[in-house]
Amino acid sequence: MVFLLQKTLIFTVPLLIVALAGMYAERSGIINIALDGIMIFGAFIGAVFALNIRNIPWFAEHPQTTFILAMLTAAIAGAIFSLLLSFSAINLKADQTIAGTALNMLAPAIALFFIKVFTNQDKLEMAIAKDSQGNMVDFGYVIHNEGLGSIGSILFDRAYLSTYIAIALFIVFSIFMYKTKTGLRIRACGEHPQAANSVGINVTKMRYLGTTVSGALAGFGGYVYIATVTNGTASGAVEGMGFLALAIMIFGNWKPFGIALGALLFGFLKCLGVIYNQLSVNIGGEDVYLLKSLNLPMYFYNMIPYVAVLAVLAFTSKKSRAPKAEGIPYDKGSR
Amino acid sequence: MKKDIKEKTSFGVWLKKFVSRPGVKSVISSLICILGGFVVGFLVLLILSISSEDIDFADSFRGLFIILGGPFSAGNRGDALYQFGNMLFNCTPLIMTGLSVALAFKTGLFNIGAPGQYLMGAMGSLIVALSIPTSVIPPILVWLLALLVGIAGGMIWGMIPGLFKSLLGVNEVIVCIMTNWIAANIVSWVFSGSQFINVAETKMNFIKKTSVNNVMTPTLGLDKLFSDGSLTSYMDIGIFIAIAIAVVLYIMLNKTTFGFELKACGFNKNASKYAGMNEKRNIMLSMAIAGGLAACGAALWCLNGHQDFKWEVYQSLPDVGFNGIPAALLGGCNPIGTVISAIFLRYINAGGSNLVGQTAFNEYVSQLIIAIIIYFAGFAKFIKDVVIDKWIAERRKKSAAAPAKNKPDGGKED
């Protein structure tokens, strides 16, 4: 059970933070379908940074510092990359879906092109060492705290610093969106930019802010994803995580609480598909593998999260409400 | 002398009129996008070759020419023909997924579910093509049946987002993404441990080629025409089927009531409802047809008879499904435009894969260039409305000013 919850947390964190990233862009009125691409780009730059900085002995000896710096780099890279989207969507009033699709194609192309030119491989691996079976071990940034008891070890054993940072960021940015003046202005630009402009809010600036924060969070999320879920391998793909985050954002009704709930549910179901045959319950001193004994194929468990999201959407769709002005380029003259 | 000026201005007038036609404007703006993509792609190569000591400076130019040459930069004539045939074959599924995305766009829907529909189509057609014995039923009938079953599978799969959107009001993007992954898992589930796996050639990750059951798309000798002497390419009549479907779609969208309703629904759902159209039915039908189109691409690819279909797809969706989006966007969501842009994209891809042996670069350059072209395609409206119109206005000013100098009374005619 502890193992299951630990794994759930690992799957949930990138989804949580990237779905929040999507929320920031869409509440400001820009559809950010490029989340996937920004994640890939952030992950790629973060991995390149981490691999290079490790050549300096001091950083190699302080893996946690390196980890934090790499996350920061990934966030900055994501923010810069998202400027491409902002420029085309805000300044040139281009179709936001097209720009997002282009970014989704651009990021893996850039990442794979440079990875292959410089390493002659299709991926970057960040593990320091490999064990005898060729599995990657020892990243230097996994926190081990054995013997804490069940609840303690869910949060603090085999954990990553990124988990705490991500949760903290999620709370801070949720509060920022709802309790500050700037947050209110961003939301106003997503609902009715002309009205916002009439009371002196600079719509262009607010939309740039929204997408840039979105890009930074998505880049950060991308690096967290490759550092935790894929065992430190940047391969120019994040298995459609960005699109899933987008789905969770819609699922969560463009609100932080809904997003957190959706990410937890989805993360739990998704990790169930990965580790279902390792789950055991101790009954009378004997390990009983409940799900494994059902003899259903892995594909069945893999499918559950997607079916569950569809089912929930089917029942809750009437309440769903997207930001009114999302996807519409701001035109000062229109009503 | 006087006549000369008049001819020049009349040509100028003709050019202005020609350029200000909406169709021509679209083509010009697409060409500007493509040019921009190549310029940026070349700059990346140039900067890389200057900054890196391992890469020769001349490589950047050679790289650009290889990409521009597409399949024809293969080296010798035989290879070029072979690659050209394969390129045309690979266009087929891309044209179909592109049409799928384009049609949905016309109805105001973003069909990002093409990969899932593609997989369902592949599954349906493969099962039929491999399980009906051709000793009983003629292969061409099995082929036709497999194609139809594949299309039906895709239509059903495309219908799901349509149903969710029209009846429940759920955003189609999210439903498409979910159905993509569900399809990927269903396909893996159905094929895992089944009799369809290619055990004979010990290709356990792939499904049997349909040629073992004699089910193959007719080639009309095209595969032998496009060969390097020993190896025949995969070319078959699939691409002509795809082009024919594009023409039918074009006629449907532009000349029939149904097509008009679909487009009206895309422009303004509420207005079309007010005009008495059944907008819910239109959304469902549009998604179903889009699904069928994507699935048809998959069926045409699988039924070629010589393709290895990887059945364990639950971790990665087929790229050709997503690449339908750029194909549609670059083609301006016009069926004919989509065909041309799909062929163009495959042409660039073929050039990209020729880079690998001949330069220090790799095939991802072509993807980079395509991505940048799509990025610029987002500005197409901006280019059309601002850049080209400005150019026309400037020319108008000039032509108004130029004759004014020569003959003061004729300057106002414009």
Side-chain angles (χ1 to χ4, degrees):
Chain A
M1 206 59 200
V2 171
F3 180 53
L4 176 67
L5 290 177
Q6 276 176 348
K7 278 277 178 195
T8 301
L9 211 55
I10 287 175
F11 270 104
T12 302
V13 159
L15 285 174
L16 184 76
I17 211 77
V18 180
L20 184 77
M23 188 190 94
Y24 256 83
E26 302 223 344
R27 291 307 283 266
S28 78
I30 306 290
I31 293 180
N32 191 354
I33 206 166
L35 286 175
D36 212 63
I38 298 172
M39 277 178 85
I40 292 169
F41 192 76
F44 166 64
I45 299 290
V48 169
F49 174 81
L51 282 171
N52 283 320
I53 204 170
R54 259 203 228 133
N55 296 332
I56 303 166
W58 189 87
F59 284 104
E61 284 158 23
H62 295 80
Q64 297 294 10
T65 317
T66 315
F67 190 35
I68 293 175
L69 285 176
M71 284 191 282
L72 195 67
T73 315
I76 294 169
I80 293 172
F81 194 59
S82 75
L83 286 179
L84 283 175
L85 173 70
S86 318
F87 176 69
S88 93
I90 301 168
N91 293 60
L92 297 185
K93 304 187 190 337
D95 188 318
Q96 298 163 7
T97 324
I98 301 181
T101 308
L103 256 57
N104 279 337
M105 296 175 68
L106 194 59
I110 290 176
L112 287 169
F113 174 65
F114 284 104
I115 290 174
K116 208 166 176 191
V117 165
F118 289 112
T119 68
N120 246 331
Q121 278 181 320
D122 278 339
K123 54 191 175 192
L124 284 178
E125 283 173 0
M126 288 195 291
I128 298 168
K130 285 186 179 179
D131 66 5
S132 54
Q133 289 160 348
N135 294 324
M136 281 164 290
V137 288
D138 194 13
F139 302 95
Y141 51 71
V142 186
I143 304 165
H144 285 276
N145 272 320
E146 270 124 39
L148 279 175
S150 55
I151 295 177
S153 60
I154 291 171
L155 285 173
F156 299 111
D157 183 25
R158 278 187 276 183
Y160 299 90
L161 207 58
S162 59
T163 308
Y164 315 122
I165 297 176
I167 293 173
L169 281 177
F170 183 80
I171 295 169
V172 168
F173 276 98
S174 302
I175 292 173
F176 180 79
M177 183 63 115
Y178 279 90
K179 299 286 173 203
T180 65
K181 224 192 301 181
T182 319
L184 179 68
R185 286 177 178 173
I186 290 177
R187 283 184 289 142
C189 291
E191 293 296 332
H192 202 311
Q194 288 80 13
N197 186 245
S198 74
V199 291
I201 297 170
N202 186 340
V203 177
T204 308
K205 208 164 128 194
M206 283 301 136
R207 287 196 164 177
Y208 257 101
L209 182 67
T211 27
T212 307
V213 169
S214 172
L217 289 174
F220 166 77
Y223 186 71
V224 171
Y225 178 77
I226 63 151
T228 58
V229 179
T230 66
N231 288 330
T233 309
S235 61
V238 288
E239 280 92 46
M241 268 291 166
F243 289 115
L244 288 184
L246 203 66
I248 285 168
M249 176 201 71
I250 300 173
F251 178 90
N253 222 348
W254 290 268
K255 289 193 177 78
F257 188 70
I259 287 171
L261 211 67
L264 260 177
L265 173 77
F266 202 89
F268 174 75
L269 291 173
K270 189 141 176 72
C271 104
L272 203 65
V274 178
I275 58 163
Y276 71 97
N277 55 3
Q278 299 167 28
L279 281 182
S280 62
V281 181
N282 202 316
I283 300 172
E286 210 175 322
D287 283 345
V288 179
Y289 290 90
L290 283 175
L291 292 173
K292 200 183 179 185
S293 61
L294 286 174
N295 232 348
L296 280 162
M298 165 182 70
Y299 311 113
F300 176 76
Y301 295 101
N302 276 336
M303 222 150 61
I304 291 179
Y306 308 106
V307 178
V309 168
L310 281 187
V312 175
L313 280 175
F315 287 113
T316 58
S317 61
K318 294 282 180 247
K319 278 185 245 157
S320 170
R321 215 188 57 81
K324 276 214 181 67
E326 85 170 349
I328 307 164
Y330 170 56
D331 176 10
K332 231 176 192 173
S334 80
R335 287 190 302 130
Chain B
M1 184 71 194
K2 230 177 187 180
K3 205 184 168 197
D4 199 4
I5 292 170
K6 206 178 179 190
E7 258 178 13
K8 239 185 196 169
T9 47
S10 71
F11 175 74
V13 170
W14 175 82
L15 191 69
K16 262 183 294 174
K17 271 192 184 153
F18 180 71
V19 170
S20 48
R21 277 168 64 184
V24 179
K25 257 198 214 175
S26 302
V27 171
I28 290 177
S29 69
S30 286
L31 289 178
I32 292 175
C33 296
I34 291 168
L35 188 72
F38 276 107
V39 168
V40 176
F42 175 62
L43 283 179
V44 172
L45 296 188
L46 199 65
I47 291 166
L48 197 63
S49 66
I50 289 169
S51 60
S52 166
E53 287 168 8
D54 305 332
I55 302 170
D56 195 16
F57 179 69
D59 255 17
S60 57
F61 290 95
R62 210 179 303 146
L64 181 71
F65 284 118
I66 289 174
I67 295 175
L68 283 173
F72 303 112
S73 53
N76 59 52
R77 189 169 164 272
D79 281 348
L81 270 178
Y82 174 72
Q83 284 195 12
F84 185 68
N86 278 355
M87 181 201 95
L88 288 180
F89 167 68
N90 284 323
C91 283
T92 313
L94 186 64
I95 291 174
M96 295 311 295
T97 50
L99 289 175
S100 164
V101 176
L103 179 77
F105 252 125
K106 286 278 180 196
T107 325
L109 301 162
F110 186 43
N111 182 18
I112 200 169
Q117 295 146 9
Y118 183 88
L119 286 174
M120 289 318 245
M123 184 177 83
S125 60
L126 277 172
I127 289 177
V128 172
L130 288 172
S131 52
I132 297 180
T134 40
S135 50
V136 186
I137 300 167
I140 190 70
L141 281 183
V142 178
W143 181 86
L144 198 62
L145 190 67
L147 182 67
L148 292 177
V149 169
I151 293 173
M155 285 184 91
I156 294 169
W157 208 247
M159 190 84 127
I160 298 175
L163 281 171
F164 268 81
K165 170 88 180 179
S166 61
L167 299 182
L168 299 166
V170 183
N171 189 318
E172 81 277 8
V173 175
I174 178 173
V175 183
C176 280
I177 294 166
M178 296 295 135
T179 49
N180 275 346
W181 291 102
I182 295 172
N185 279 295
I186 288 179
V187 170
S188 308
W189 189 355
V190 167
F191 281 134
S192 75
S194 72
Q195 46 158 336
F196 303 113
I197 291 172
N198 198 346
V199 185
E201 291 180 73
T202 61
K203 286 183 176 171
M204 301 300 286
N205 288 330
F206 300 102
I207 299 297
K208 283 180 201 161
K209 293 166 181 168
T210 54
S211 55
V212 291
N213 198 19
N214 264 327
V215 179
M216 284 177 279
T217 313
T219 61
L220 302 180
L222 285 167
D223 55 336
K224 295 198 182 61
L225 186 67
F226 295 106
S227 74
D228 64 349
S230 52
L231 272 173
T232 56
S233 67
Y234 296 128
M235 176 79 185
D236 58 21
I237 61 161
I239 188 165
F240 301 115
I241 299 175
I243 291 172
I245 292 174
V247 172
V248 170
L249 267 186
Y250 180 81
I251 294 167
M252 189 198 86
L253 276 173
N254 294 314
K255 307 282 176 205
T256 67
T257 321
F258 177 60
F260 180 79
E261 281 197 17
L262 288 189
K263 281 194 291 184
C265 196
F267 278 123
N268 192 333
K269 211 169 75 175
N270 297 324
S272 66
K273 190 179 175 185
Y274 180 72
M277 299 173 193
N278 188 343
E279 98 284 7
K280 286 185 175 169
R281 189 202 63 161
N282 286 345
I283 287 175
M284 270 188 276
L285 279 178
S286 166
M287 276 312 284
I289 297 172
L293 289 170
C296 179
L300 286 174
W301 189 82
C302 291
L303 294 173
N304 172 260
H306 306 286
Q307 303 303 322
D308 287 315
F309 178 74
K310 190 171 182 285
W311 60 272
E312 220 172 5
V313 283
Y314 71 97
Q315 274 179 327
S316 61
L317 296 165
D319 279 343
V320 63
F322 288 116
N323 286 340
I325 301 171
L329 294 179
L330 194 60
C333 292
N334 176 314
I336 308 296
T338 305
V339 172
I340 296 168
S341 72
I343 294 174
F344 170 74
L345 293 181
R346 283 292 186 231
Y347 181 85
I348 299 294
N349 278 336
S353 41
N354 278 330
L355 277 179
V356 179
Q358 305 183 27
T359 59
F361 306 116
N362 52 60
E363 69 272 26
Y364 298 112
V365 181
S366 60
Q367 290 182 21
L368 190 86
I369 291 175
I370 291 171
I372 295 164
I373 292 173
I374 301 301
Y375 182 69
F376 286 141
F379 309 162
K381 199 167 167 292
F382 176 79
I383 296 173
K384 254 188 275 180
D385 294 351
V386 181
V387 180
I388 296 181
D389 282 354
K390 202 177 166 189
W391 181 81
I392 292 171
E394 261 172 28
R395 280 201 66 102
R396 185 166 293 155
K397 253 190 225 161
K398 262 188 202 163
S399 67
K405 273 179 194 166
N406 289 324
K407 36 174 186 169
D409 53 339
K412 288 168 199 161
E413 64 175 359
D414 207 46

